[in-house]
Amino acid sequence: MEQSARQAQQLDHLASAPDPGGPSPFAAFGMPGLGGTPPVAPSEPRPILELDGEEREDELDALSDWVDDFLLPVYGAEVTTAAPWCLQWQEHDDVVAWLHALWLAYQQHKDPEAGLSGLFVWHRDFLTHAVAAIRAPGGPLSACMTSPERPAHRILPGPPPSARTERAATGAAEAARPPEPDEPTS
């Protein structure tokens, strides 16, 4: 009878509404309680070229620290005509974008959740390709330093806009132009 009474008491407790001020029964799983506010999700990383102002500067500072303190000392290799570098790489938007993506992938793959092969995957799938693209003889740094004795920095001009974009811009400019006094308006 005593055991039956305890079971009835447990069933009553389980069937009753949870105490809204009490601890969440799901707290151990990182979940909010019933009717509680969900936890704030961490912000998703955004590509550095989409950032503005102080947010971009802070991200560029952190990226520069990683490049100068980790990437270059370990993977920098010698500067040659086949592997140019630029001491002002932060001014090359395409290089900043490549290095930022490489850094984000590094952070993801060094995380314990990436498993024991995480850093191998980073080397195989990210590092080799990114460094080859950045430091290619015809790549974004090809007009910059090719010898440590001759530091150089030059940003090569990019391709002009497509003909379609030019026509659209010309058409928009003509549409925005006020009509000449002698032109009929319809």
Side-chain angles (χ1 to χ4, degrees), residues 125-150:
D125 294 350
F126 299 93
L127 176 69
T128 304
H129 182 68
V131 170
I134 292 168
R135 298 189 68 188
L141 302 179
S142 61
C144 292
M145 182 170 58
T146 57
S147 169
E149 286 83 39
R150 294 187 312 277

Side-chain angles (χ1 to χ4, degrees), residues 105-127:
Y106 174 77
Q107 291 176 65
Q108 177 185 355
H109 286 84
K110 77 173 189 160
D111 189 279
E113 288 184 17
L116 296 175
S117 62
L119 285 174
F120 175 80
V121 171
W122 178 77
H123 281 87
R124 181 194 68 200
D125 294 350
F126 299 93
L127 176 69

Side-chain angles (χ1 to χ4, degrees), residues 24-43:
S24 167
F26 308 109
F29 302 105
M31 299 171 61
L34 300 174
T37 58
V40 177
S43 63

